[in-house]
Amino acid sequence: MEKFDWQDNLFESLSFPTLILTPDMTIFAANRRFLTKYSYIDKKIIGRKCYQILYQSEEPCQESSCPIKHVLANKEGTYVLTKTTGPDGAEVYEDRVCSPILNSNGEVGYIMASFRDVTKTKLLEIESQKTSEFLENIIASSASAILVADMKGVILRMNKSARKLFGYTDRVAVGTSIAEYLYTPGGAKSVMKKLRSTDYGGVGKLYTTEMTIITSSGEEIPVEMTASIIYQDGKEVATMGIYNDLRPKIETEKKLKEAERIKLEQSNKMASLGQLAAGVAHEINNPLSGILIDASLILEELDEDNPIRKDIQNIIIDTHRCKDIVKNLLAYSRQTEMKRELFNINDVIEQTFDLLAHHALLQNITINKEFSSSMLMCEGDKNQLVQVFTNIIINAAHAITGKGDITICTSRDKPKGKIYIEFSDTGCGIPEVALPKIFDHFFTTKEEGKGTGLGLGTVQSIIEKHGGKIKVKETSPEGTTFLIELPLFKVADDTLF
Ligand SMILES: Nc1ncnc2c1ncn2[C@@H]1O[C@H](COP(=O)(O)OP(=O)(O)OP(=O)(O)O)[C@@H](O)[C@H]1O
Ligand SMILES: [Mg+2]
């Protein structure tokens, strides 16, 4: 059998491009792999310096980046990772591994330098590093407190929000036991029990649960928590908890409850005040009618040039005003019975204008009626709706100083079963501060004797009794539009009228 000298073939058989260098960095030998890979197959490289061939430089590399210097000094192998650009412009990563070949005196006689292309591995490593940095960033920047602990409860990771919530710095908290510091007695055990049960979101998961945590200063904080077990190769390796501070929510709920309590107290007060006012209104209604009749009779008796005519006319105007207030008070406190009759809304608006025709306030105002030609059939109390429209029209007229317009536009949406009535005026508009209060009872911006602040409150309660809604559609110093929505009458078989 032919004798096989493996040592002779070793150098050429190496699967990495390899050079043999002398300690002064001269190339002594290069294997075929090296010559092919770096395109030196027909070129002379033996006898040249490694930095001339590898880096096209006439100067040796800096000591810190040259592995050969390390090999010579320590007589042991080492490697450097280099990044170069390939012929196609792509990044190429190479591990340049240098190993000493010692002579019989134990000195470094030669150096073997192998070049391993690690681009694929390196790019994967960079990609995975980027992904983990990205995930790390997500955790770090989360507004929720996130805490990761190993299965013994030792904290591994705490994001910024968690450090803030628990009041710990990373240095102090990481490496300490959760059970000991962060939960109330038995808290950590209970979380683990729930995590391993099937009842709280499945094994390994704990859907939102409320619990108490303890901060570094010993303060107990109510939180909402979700948790999960992190598995690796099917084994439990860590737990992750996400916590949200419940204090702001609890505080808001408390404030809301308090506001509701005050509102209830207020509406109770208003109800008894309303009852009282309604009682008084009821009592003065009849005497007012008497005054009105008597004053009208006196006026009829007086000659045209009688000087007290003006006074009697003022008595009549003021008594009308008193009667309006009484009407509003009675309607507001629901003392008036609500009738159920069927009518066309356009007719009720016309009727309102007939009643207001001689009202002094409307004399300089142009009324535009843009009525729908469809039947706007509505079921309810016609007189109460006359009162609604009167209040709105009088308010509009009050808002207009001098000349102006009031436009009433009616329409319907049959599929939605709704009637829409818009009252627009060219008045002064409602100031932003007043807007939330205009439907409140007794809210008025008018001077004493001109407004009681019951008008819109009454309007709202009548509209709501009819199953409708009222709102300010728009308001500005150029004018205001009120929008009323009423249900379109439905006949028994549910078809809309
Ligand atoms: N069309 C409007 N333009 C501007 N402001 C308005 C208009 N309608 C109502 N307001 C404002 O809303 C307030 C409340 O109106 P509301 O009708 O409830 O009371 P009032 O008119 O002041 O008194 P009352 O109607 O009881 O005589 C008014 O004082 C006024 O400031
Ligand atoms: Mg009014």
Side-chain angles (χ1 to χ4, degrees):
M1 196 176 129
E2 191 190 335
K3 191 175 173 266
F4 175 69
D5 190 346
W6 62 269
Q7 286 172 354
D8 278 356
N9 294 305
L10 176 71
F11 186 53
E12 277 308 331
S13 308
L14 286 173
S15 47
F16 305 117
T18 305
L19 291 176
I20 303 289
L21 305 167
T22 57
D24 66 354
M25 294 173 212
T26 306
I27 298 172
F28 178 74
N31 71 356
R32 187 160 294 275
R33 278 238 168 213
F34 183 92
L35 298 173
T36 319
K37 173 133 193 224
Y38 297 99
S39 312
Y40 286 116
I41 201 81
D42 296 321
K43 295 177 193 153
K44 268 193 155 185
I45 63 165
I46 307 299
R48 299 188 64 192
K49 299 288 185 191
C50 61
Y51 45 83
Q52 290 175 322
I53 297 302
L54 295 174
Y55 302 109
Q56 287 76 48
S57 164
E58 289 308 315
E59 296 295 322
C61 304
Q62 280 199 344
E63 195 158 334
S64 56
S65 60
C66 176
I68 295 170
K69 302 260 168 68
H70 179 91
V71 171
L72 291 172
N74 300 293
K75 295 182 189 166
E76 64 176 19
T78 188
Y79 75 95
V80 284
L81 177 73
T82 62
K83 181 181 159 190
T84 51
T85 311
D88 56 354
E91 286 175 348
V92 176
Y93 289 91
E94 255 183 4
D95 264 344
R96 299 192 165 172
V97 187
C98 293
S99 316
I101 302 172
L102 302 179
N103 58 22
S104 48
N105 302 328
E107 298 299 325
V108 178
Y110 296 95
I111 297 127
M112 183 164 81
S114 293
F115 303 85
R116 274 189 279 169
D117 187 341
V118 289
T119 308
K120 263 190 198 162
T121 327
K122 192 65 196 167
L123 288 181
L124 271 176
E125 195 184 298
I126 290 170
E127 203 49 45
S128 116
Q129 199 174 337
K130 271 189 197 158
T131 312
S132 74
E133 271 170 20
F134 181 65
L135 291 176
E136 190 75 5
N137 262 341
I138 292 176
I139 294 176
S141 55
S142 165
S144 296
I146 300 177
L147 198 140
V148 181
D150 68 13
M151 295 316 290
K152 286 182 188 140
V154 175
I155 300 170
L156 302 173
R157 186 84 182 77
M158 217 177 186
N159 75 349
K160 206 170 161 191
S161 304
R163 272 180 272 144
K164 198 169 156 211
L165 177 67
F166 289 98
Y168 285 98
T169 62
D170 234 351
R171 210 161 22 92
V172 176
V174 172
T176 58
S177 162
I178 291 184
E180 239 178 289
Y181 296 111
L182 306 184
Y183 295 142
T184 47
K189 260 196 186 145
S190 146
V191 169
M192 281 319 294
K193 214 169 154 187
K194 285 180 181 169
L195 270 172
R196 290 190 176 117
S197 145
T198 49
D199 303 337
Y200 301 91
V203 176
K205 286 193 174 61
L206 170 56
Y207 286 167
T208 317
T209 184
E210 286 185 12
M211 64 180 307
T212 306
I213 56 144
I214 301 175
T215 67
S216 62
S217 61
E219 190 188 352
E220 293 195 0
I221 295 181
V223 292
E224 202 171 60
M225 174 201 198
T226 58
S228 52
I229 296 179
I230 301 167
Y231 296 92
Q232 218 164 41
D233 303 325
K235 263 191 188 166
E236 294 178 347
V237 288
T239 58
M240 180 173 79
I242 302 177
Y243 309 78
N244 284 311
D245 190 347
L246 279 179
R247 285 173 302 177
K249 194 175 152 197
I250 291 172
E251 191 58 26
T252 315
E253 279 171 1
K254 219 162 110 188
K255 277 189 188 150
L256 264 175
K257 263 193 195 149
E258 182 60 11
E260 259 167 33
R261 192 189 62 75
I262 292 172
K263 210 172 151 193
L264 193 70
E265 223 168 59
Q266 188 72 10
S267 73
N268 282 343
K269 249 191 228 165
M270 290 303 291
S272 39
L273 200 67
Q275 263 172 0
L276 188 75
V280 175
H282 198 76
E283 285 305 310
I284 62 170
N285 202 21
N286 291 340
L288 282 178
S289 300
I291 295 171
L292 207 53
I293 292 167
D294 290 345
S296 306
L297 286 174
I298 296 171
L299 195 64
E300 272 174 27
E301 298 285 310
L302 293 176
D303 294 336
E304 282 301 318
D305 54 354
N306 193 315
I308 63 164
R309 267 190 84 85
K310 188 80 197 134
D311 299 329
I312 302 294
Q313 273 165 347
N314 283 342
I315 290 175
I316 293 173
I317 290 172
D318 282 345
T319 313
H320 269 301
R321 165 118 187 93
C322 288
K323 277 187 80 71
D324 283 348
I325 294 173
V326 163
K327 247 199 233 168
N328 274 342
L329 274 175
L330 287 174
Y332 160 61
S333 57
R334 297 191 179 95
Q335 291 297 303
T336 46
E337 277 283 301
M338 185 167 147
K339 283 195 210 135
R340 288 256 159 226
E341 48 193 333
L342 203 59
F343 45 81
N344 184 343
I345 277 289
N346 289 341
D347 298 340
V348 183
I349 301 171
E350 285 292 8
Q351 193 187 330
T352 312
F353 278 110
D354 288 345
L355 289 169
L356 288 172
H358 303 294
H359 205 296
L361 269 175
L362 297 178
Q363 298 317 308
N364 285 326
I365 290 169
T366 313
I367 309 290
N368 308 306
K369 294 173 196 161
E370 295 172 8
F371 286 177
S372 161
S373 54
S374 316
M375 296 285 276
L376 305 181
M377 295 313 286
C378 176
E379 194 192 25
D381 190 321
K382 218 197 280 189
N383 287 336
Q384 289 195 5
L385 289 177
V386 167
Q387 196 184 342
V388 163
F389 302 146
T390 305
N391 285 351
I392 293 177
I393 293 164
I394 297 294
N395 278 350
H398 271 143
I400 297 169
T401 38
K403 283 192 173 192
D405 284 18
I406 297 177
T407 305
I408 303 98
C409 177
T410 63
S411 59
R412 73 175 191 187
D413 184 330
K414 215 172 169 187
K416 284 192 181 154
K418 290 205 165 132
I419 296 172
Y420 300 108
I421 314 151
E422 278 188 22
F423 288 86
S424 307
D425 62 61
T426 54
C428 57
I430 306 170
E432 214 179 309
V433 281
L435 207 52
K437 300 184 206 150
I438 56 166
F439 293 104
D440 290 355
H441 311 297
F442 304 111
F443 173 79
T444 181
T445 57
K446 294 171 191 169
E447 58 191 76
E448 230 180 284
K450 283 216 166 153
T452 47
L454 274 175
L456 286 180
T458 308
V459 164
Q460 193 176 44
S461 83
I462 294 176
I463 294 293
E464 282 174 359
K465 266 197 284 176
H466 281 77
K469 281 187 221 161
I470 175 163
K471 65 173 186 185
V472 175
K473 191 178 168 195
E474 52 194 12
T475 185
S476 74
E478 277 72 56
T480 302
T481 301
F482 278 88
L483 171 67
I484 295 178
E485 237 180 74
L486 283 170
L488 193 59
F489 178 69
K490 260 188 212 163
V491 276
D493 68 354
D494 249 23
T495 42
L496 292 161
F497 198 89

